[in-house]
Amino acid sequence: MPDTDSDTTSAARILVVEDEAVVAIDVRHRLTRLGYTVAGIADSGEEAVRLVGELAPDMILMDIILAGKMDGVDAATLIRERYAAPVVFLTAHSDRATLRRAGAAGPYGYLIKPFEERELQSALEIALYKSRMERKLAKTERLTAITLKCLGEGLLTTDETGQVVFVNPAAETLLGVAAAAIVGQPLEAVYRATPGEADGPTGREQAVLHCPGGRDVPVEQTTSPILDAQGGSIGTVVVFRDVSQRLMAEQALRDSVANLRCALAETVNALTVTSEKRDPFTAGHQQRVSHLAAALAVRLGLPEEACEGVRVAGLVHDIGKIHVPAEILAKPEALNAMEMGIVHDHSAVGYEILKSIPFPWPVARMVLEHHERMDGSGYPGHLGADAVLLASRILAVADVIEAMNSHRPYRAAPGREASLAEIRSGRGRLYDPDVVDCCLELFLREGYQL
């Protein structure tokens, strides 16, 4: 039937079914005066059914007593089954038996002859409104039913007693049970799940669904009450979905990240060993600088990931020394200006070696800047404090402390007190004051040992 929402009578097309020609003509004139359109006139039940199929009227105004084998009640019943078209009975028969039989046909109104035009209009308008509302409701129900059936998540709905009244195909598949065996059963009998933790901001609960046959399926589930207009519970809806594939993908991703971190750690260790093989006199220097720098980063309150970046940069901060000839590294006396220039290049060389490695931290830049100083007197870029990373300033202090506590071919180790005096005298001028203060507390108050 056409789905019209018009509130004007001119939009309504009426099929008149009346076997008395005079009455049919009178009804036609009345409908026309009221602004309706007469779609056609039939004088038998058989013809009425045929015309409804051909003309698709908005309303059928039908007498009960008709010519032919099929009376109005039979015709109305068939029309309702085939076309769901609304029928208003127009008859002179108002006895209880006739009314009972007519009511079984599901009419939208009942008008007793003779009648006034206002009675006719009222009956038709009420019937048309009821028909429009029912079509809207039926359309909404169809859309909802199709949506629920196509939903990829399992859905169970119960009534107020807790018995299942609806199961969508996805729920049948996940549970491994046909809907016919689920509907009418208590929810707890067909949906057995061990709940876990809520899944973050979504509020969905992790659970393990125990299916027939001993099959357990990890799911996400949401249980919500269905409330009436007064806030009373009239049922419950449970939505759930299989998350097995997602959990496997997440585990695979975690394993992949762990493997990548392991490969990165081994790569860093290999670089550390490579650089220290070139200078056996400083063996262990990078590890000790890395340990101290990481301790300073933690004490300064840097995030865990940033502290890890400082630790890794410390392990490779002298990788550029593979560029320095071995005889310069092992020279047992002070270096001349040319040799010192070659040594000073190691920060930039280290940067060039590391800049293409996709570290999750600015390791190459930290290596480049670890010999810069607050006043711009460092190398290789003579950068001031504002241009140098905090992580680089941490490495600078750790490097000075460790270097002054280790022997070199050309000198004995000045020792702990001398190294602490060095950073104390250069506080704010050469070295970051916060890093210096942190380092002093670490050694003097907490007894840190290299």
Side-chain angles (χ1 to χ4, degrees), residues 328-355:
I328 293 178
L329 294 175
K331 187 175 181 178
E333 57 189 38
L335 303 181
N336 60 39
M338 183 187 70
E339 293 167 335
M340 189 61 72
I342 294 173
V343 172
H344 284 185
D345 284 342
H346 81 278
S347 298
V349 173
Y351 173 79
E352 292 299 322
I353 293 172
L354 300 171
K355 68 179 182 180

Side-chain angles (χ1 to χ4, degrees), residues 380-409:
H382 305 289
L383 304 176
D386 293 340
V388 179
L389 294 174
L390 172 59
S392 303
R393 302 199 294 271
I394 292 172
L395 276 180
V397 171
D399 188 40
V400 168
I401 292 292
E402 203 291 326
M404 293 184 68
N405 279 273
S406 300
H407 298 295
R408 294 291 184 267

Side-chain angles (χ1 to χ4, degrees), residues 63-66 69-77 80 89 93 95-107 110:
D63 195 358
I64 291 180
I65 305 302
L66 297 172
K69 296 181 179 180
M70 184 181 295
D71 68 4
V73 174
D74 294 332
T77 301
R80 183 184 65 182
F89 284 126
H93 298 271
D95 59 280
R96 181 170 296 181
T98 300
L99 291 176
R100 185 181 303 112
R101 183 166 172 261
Y110 201 98

Side-chain angles (χ1 to χ4, degrees), residues 50 89 95 111 134 138 182 199 204 280 284 286 417:
R50 180 181 64 81
F89 284 126
D95 59 280
L111 196 60
E134 288 187 354
I182 298 174
D199 187 21
R204 291 199 168 194
Q286 292 185 118
E417 297 306 320

Side-chain angles (χ1 to χ4, degrees), residues 62-269:
M62 184 178 306
D63 195 358
I64 291 180
I65 305 302
L66 297 172
K69 296 181 179 180
M70 184 181 295
D71 68 4
V73 174
D74 294 332
T77 301
L78 193 56
I79 288 170
R80 183 184 65 182
E81 293 174 353
R82 289 186 182 179
Y83 309 109
V87 173
V88 172
F89 284 126
L90 176 63
T91 182
H93 298 271
S94 59
D95 59 280
R96 181 170 296 181
T98 300
L99 291 176
R100 185 181 303 112
R101 183 166 172 261
Y108 281 64
Y110 201 98
L111 196 60
I112 303 298
K113 300 176 184 176
F115 53 83
E116 301 290 335
E117 285 189 6
R118 65 176 181 276
E119 295 174 320
L120 175 63
Q121 185 174 27
S122 296
L124 291 178
E125 287 303 306
I126 291 172
L128 287 168
Y129 178 79
K130 180 181 177 182
S131 174
R132 285 195 296 268
M133 292 304 102
E134 288 187 354
R135 287 198 298 272
K136 282 184 177 180
L137 180 60
K139 181 178 179 181
T140 300
E141 289 177 346
R142 286 195 300 272
L143 290 174
T144 301
I146 292 172
T147 300
L148 295 178
K149 287 181 179 180
C150 295
L151 193 66
E153 298 180 321
L155 187 142
L156 299 171
T157 304
T158 75
D159 59 17
E160 64 274 13
T161 68
Q163 290 189 326
V164 178
V165 295
F166 177 82
V167 184
N168 76 338
E172 290 183 271
T173 301
L174 287 172
L175 292 169
V177 181
I182 298 174
V183 173
Q185 297 294 317
L187 178 63
E188 60 271 16
V190 296
Y191 186 81
R192 297 180 298 108
T194 302
E197 297 180 354
D199 187 21
T202 64
R204 291 199 168 194
E205 186 179 52
Q206 299 282 350
V208 176
L209 179 61
H210 308 295
C211 301
R215 182 171 57 95
D216 289 341
V217 180
V219 296
E220 279 183 348
Q221 63 181 18
T222 303
T223 303
S224 303
I226 305 172
L227 306 178
D228 60 19
Q230 289 71 41
S233 177
I234 58 174
T236 302
V237 59
V238 180
V239 180
F240 57 103
R241 62 179 175 182
D242 185 347
V243 293
S244 302
Q245 295 296 322
R246 193 194 75 185
L247 293 179
M248 287 190 291
E250 290 175 350
Q251 184 59 49
L253 179 60
R254 285 192 292 269
D255 293 343
S256 177
V257 170
N259 291 335
L260 288 173
R261 284 187 174 273
C262 182
L264 178 62
E266 292 303 319
T267 300
V268 170
N269 288 335

